[in-house]
Amino acid sequence: MTRRPVESSRPTHTRTTPPPPTTEPTSACQGAVVHVIDVANDELALVPALCVATGAVLRIEHIGPGEVTNDSPDLVEQRYEAGIVQIRMIRPGTVVVTIVQNGTPHDITVVVR
């Protein structure tokens, strides 16, 4: 003899409201992107610290030779050509890039993951 399940006369309810948002932080790190800073138009004091993946490039435009330095030449490849400095992040770590704008040095911290 087999028993059949008893059916309830109550309707079943499904959740119609979305679940609450998670409180886990999202990653602020960008991928292997090209981040452009235009020294002629951007206020360097307002440029935030960056978090990028290995392979990312910091491209600094409208800058003279010798006006961009970094404190970690073992973590980056930096080159200058025709008013543009390109800094490729080749290893994980933290790099401080110093850009001179109108005679004032500005430090930008770049965390490379």
Side-chain angles (χ1 to χ4, degrees):
M1 178 174 189
T2 60
R3 298 182 95 187
R4 296 177 71 190
V6 178
E7 293 184 24
S8 171
S9 61
R10 286 190 247 162
T12 58
H13 295 288
T14 58
R15 185 179 189 140
T16 57
T17 58
T22 61
T23 56
E24 294 180 27
T26 58
S27 174
C29 279
Q30 300 174 352
V33 298
V34 176
H35 186 86
V36 178
I37 296 175
D38 183 346
V39 176
N41 295 312
D42 296 340
E43 177 57 49
L44 294 179
L46 301 177
V47 175
L50 302 171
C51 181
V52 295
T54 302
V57 174
L58 180 59
R59 180 181 167 102
I60 304 155
E61 299 177 344
H62 302 109
I63 193 80
E67 293 183 329
V68 178
T69 58
N70 70 79
D71 70 342
S72 302
D74 57 321
L75 301 180
V76 301
E77 290 176 347
Q78 179 173 325
R79 65 183 175 161
Y80 174 85
E81 185 176 334
I84 297 172
V85 172
Q86 288 198 144
I87 303 173
R88 180 172 302 279
M89 310 305 161
I90 58 172
R91 289 186 185 81
T94 301
V95 180
V96 177
V97 176
T98 302
I99 305 170
V100 178
Q101 184 182 43
N102 299 325
T104 304
H106 297 276
D107 292 338
I108 300 171
T109 301
V110 182
V111 176
V112 183
R113 60 173 171 86

